[in-house]
Amino acid sequence: NAGVTQTPKFRVLKTGQSMTLLCAQDMNHEYMYWYRQDPGMGLRLIHYSVGEGTTAKGEVPDGYNVSRLKKQNFLLGLESAAPSQTSVYFCASSYVPPASGAQYFGPGTRLLVL
Amino acid sequence: KQEVTQIPAALSVPEGENLVLNCSFTDSAIYNLQWFRQDPGKGLTSLLLIQSSQREQTSGRLNASLDKSSGRSTLYIAASQPGDSATYLCAVVLVEYGNKLVFGAGTILRVKS
């Protein structure tokens, strides 16, 4: 049982390049989330999914797209990376919504956009 | 807009000391409040979850309290150990947005041996 895994662990992009971050969970969780963490600002929700085939916007969705084609995977895409997207990205999943129970977090992806 | 504030931003204590971390939030209409631990370069680990109807939760040397009316929570760590050194984050789930956690910026704790 690997829990929540994220790929890649670290990536450097040039402004304008695109990339996809992969989150995978093996706990059969319905809910999945993408957060970004910036110094002094805590974690902020980018997008989330309440089940396979569904996605919804969070607090800071601009510049990102997501897809949940399979229940165990949640992909975060950056179509045209900007320096403001330099951050640490965390994926999380849960069996129930946050109102009812805890979330399980992946180890993070550190992204640097030059 | 809900704001979550954690005080202090950083704390350094000698091993064995009891300590308190503080979390305050502006909107009292919450489902629950959660405390997480984050080790350097790692993800978050859930420590305690307090539902809005509860006053406190305990796990080992950790005790978290919730005063929803005043918008405050405290995390009490008894007999601190060097292994407790980490960043501690609190987060609330708003009634208005049941699928969203709103995080504070965290308290960086260092326990010196």
Side-chain angles (χ1 to χ4, degrees):
Chain A
N1 189 334
V4 180
T5 58
Q6 293 184 232
T7 308
K9 289 184 171 54
F10 176 71
R11 183 77 182 267
V12 179
L13 287 179
K14 294 181 179 179
T15 297
Q17 288 185 319
S18 63
M19 78 164 295
T20 299
L21 282 67
L22 171 64
C23 175
Q25 52 92 6
D26 60 1
M27 298 174 282
N28 201 35
H29 285 171
E30 290 291 337
Y31 300 80
M32 297 187 75
Y33 316 83
W34 276 108
Y35 294 91
R36 60 178 289 173
Q37 184 177 33
D38 301 294
M41 298 187 72
L43 278 77
R44 292 179 292 168
L45 183 64
I46 305 171
H47 286 282
Y48 65 97
S49 169
V50 300
E52 181 178 322
T54 74
T55 63
K57 294 180 180 180
E59 186 181 355
V60 288
D62 294 342
Y64 305 95
N65 57 75
V66 288
S67 64
R68 182 103 181 264
L69 299 180
K70 294 183 178 180
K71 186 176 183 179
Q72 63 268 33
N73 295 337
F74 195 28
L75 279 63
L76 178 70
L78 286 74
E79 290 186 349
S80 179
S84 61
Q85 295 178 303
T86 292
S87 187
V88 181
Y89 292 85
F90 288 100
C91 176
S93 72
S94 61
Y95 187 70
V96 294
S100 302
Q103 298 181 354
Y104 296 81
F105 282 78
T109 293
R110 192 171 299 270
L111 177 65
L112 174 62
V113 182
L114 301 175
Chain B
K1 178 183 175 184
Q2 175 73 278
E3 292 186 2
V4 179
T5 304
Q6 292 189 245
I7 295 174
L11 181 63
S12 182
V13 300
E15 182 177 4
E17 191 164 298
N18 301 325
L19 59 98
V20 174
L21 307 181
N22 297 292
C23 174
S24 62
F25 47 96
T26 53
D27 186 345
S28 62
I30 63 170
Y31 279 119
N32 62 55
L33 183 143
Q34 305 183 29
W35 283 95
F36 295 86
R37 168 185 173 135
Q38 184 177 26
D39 292 290
K42 301 289 181 61
L44 280 67
T45 301
S46 179
L47 296 174
L48 291 164
L49 185 154
I50 312 175
Q51 296 291 358
S52 62
S53 58
Q54 297 175 319
R55 295 285 292 181
E56 65 178 340
Q57 282 284 345
T58 297
S59 176
R61 294 182 293 107
L62 304 180
N63 175 276
S65 68
L66 174 64
D67 184 343
K68 199 174 68 166
S69 61
S70 68
R72 293 181 181 179
S73 175
T74 61
L75 179 66
Y76 175 83
I77 302 177
S80 59
Q81 303 170 357
D84 295 330
S85 298
T87 297
Y88 291 81
L89 297 140
C90 72
V92 296
V93 180
L94 299 176
V95 169
E96 185 176 1
Y97 300 104
N99 285 315
K100 182 174 130 176
L101 278 166
V102 179
F103 282 86
T107 293
I108 302 171
L109 173 64
R110 180 186 172 209
V111 181
K112 299 172 289 186
S113 58

